[in-house]
Amino acid sequence: MSAKIIDGKEFAATVREKVATHVTRLKADHDITPGLAVVLVGEDPASEVYVRSKGKLTVEVGMNSYEHRLDATTSEADLLALIEKLNADPAVHGILCQLPLPKHLNEDLVINSIDPAKDVDGFHISNVGLLATGQKSMVPCTPLGCLMMLRDHLGSLSGLNAVVVGRSNIVGKPMAQLLLRDSCTVTIAHSRTKNIEALCRGADIVVAAVGRPEMVTGEWIAKGATVIDVGINRIPAPEKGEGKTRLVGDVDFASASAVAGAITPVPGGVGPMTIACLLANTVTACCRANGLDEPEGLTA
Ligand code: GUN
């Protein structure tokens, strides 16, 4: 293996420390405690794990955590009424509605009912538009975490060729916008892209966010390129025993790490950065709401 391992777990801890320092200052100088409200509808097991982890880390950095757990059969009107209440609550600076929502709820409608200034996911249509036009916005947490790691490892990204594999609204599209804003030449590749391997081989940066286990192999990667693996896939691991599974990314780590210059592992790469950036976005939203200076190094 030749690649440097980009340690997302360690990086996320430093981001959370910065957030905690800023929270302490907000309390001491302004008597303000940032608050994050998380709304979970239903009992999706993966969402339960995320929400618990978010709550724990929110409190750990000194912020207030408000959890709202609603029944899977909650009506759209009731969910919208809760969001309206949170929009109007001055103690709440960030609102996150955990996705996916149960099928009977319109996700776009729900997300767009969140006050854009409190939309710490950066999914509201206003924030999407602001990001696309290079204006100040709330930036989606996973792409923000990827950008922080890329800047930390590479310094300036200006002029670099970047390929984003995947075109989701949550990761692929905002990631491409952020890389473009940092003056990369950006290509978004997806399931219909021709010669995807050759395209990736021409890239200084490959961000894999397709949700297909170990799709990007070492043959797709140029020597010395930086590889960011956003995928979290659970696959069968019969070698560990019957019925056992293991976590893998969208990148085949063994072959890619033999040629890449740097690579994020799974687990311990992008994953921990997502929640750290959610906390960073909440403190940013709190500062903006109170007309205060934003913390340095925690926004895009
Ligand atoms: N479900 C999986 N990831 C996310 C995320 O980043 N934000 C929200 N709201 N839901 C998710």
Side-chain angles (χ1 to χ4, degrees), residues 38-39 44 46-47 50 54 95-100 111 114 120-121 123 140-143 170-171 274 278:
V38 174
V39 180
D44 177 65
S47 294
Y50 282 132
K54 280 168 190 165
I95 302 169
L96 178 144
C97 187
Q98 186 68 29
L99 303 177
I111 286 167
I114 296 172
V120 280
D121 259 329
F123 295 166
C141 305
T142 300
I170 292 178
V171 184
T274 297
L278 173 69

Side-chain angles (χ1 to χ4, degrees), residues 263-285:
I263 187 166
T264 60
V266 176
V270 174
M273 286 297 286
T274 297
I275 296 185
C277 288
L278 173 69
L279 304 176
N281 276 350
T282 305
V283 86
T284 298

